[in-house]
Amino acid sequence: MKQDRTIVAAASTRLLLDLLGRQGQVLISSDLPSRPGRSQRLADLCAVTGARAYACGTGGMT
């Protein structure tokens, strides 16, 4: 079931990128190396993908 959701999420992301005329690579976070724990995992995923910024909603301020 989880793999089905991953396939749908990746396909819909690719479709959206195509519709917007944008190039991009779709990565599956579970395939990337990261530590357990929400903050550590987020930091690791940002580092491994070369992210230069992270945008979040107001909930991330708490």
Side-chain angles (χ1 to χ4, degrees):
M1 183 73 152
K2 183 178 180 182
Q3 184 175 359
D4 292 340
R5 288 188 298 238
T6 301
I7 292 168
V8 170
S12 62
T13 300
R14 285 187 188 100
L15 177 63
L16 182 60
L17 287 169
D18 288 344
L19 288 172
L20 294 172
R22 302 292 306 248
Q23 293 183 359
Q25 182 180 7
V26 177
L27 302 173
I28 308 300
S29 63
S30 59
D31 293 341
L32 302 173
S34 63
R35 296 170 288 175
R38 292 181 354 199
S39 295
Q40 293 87 354
R41 180 170 171 75
L42 179 57
D44 290 345
L45 293 174
C46 288
V48 77
T49 59
R52 290 173 279 159
Y54 176 74
C56 68
T58 57
M61 295 182 345
T62 57

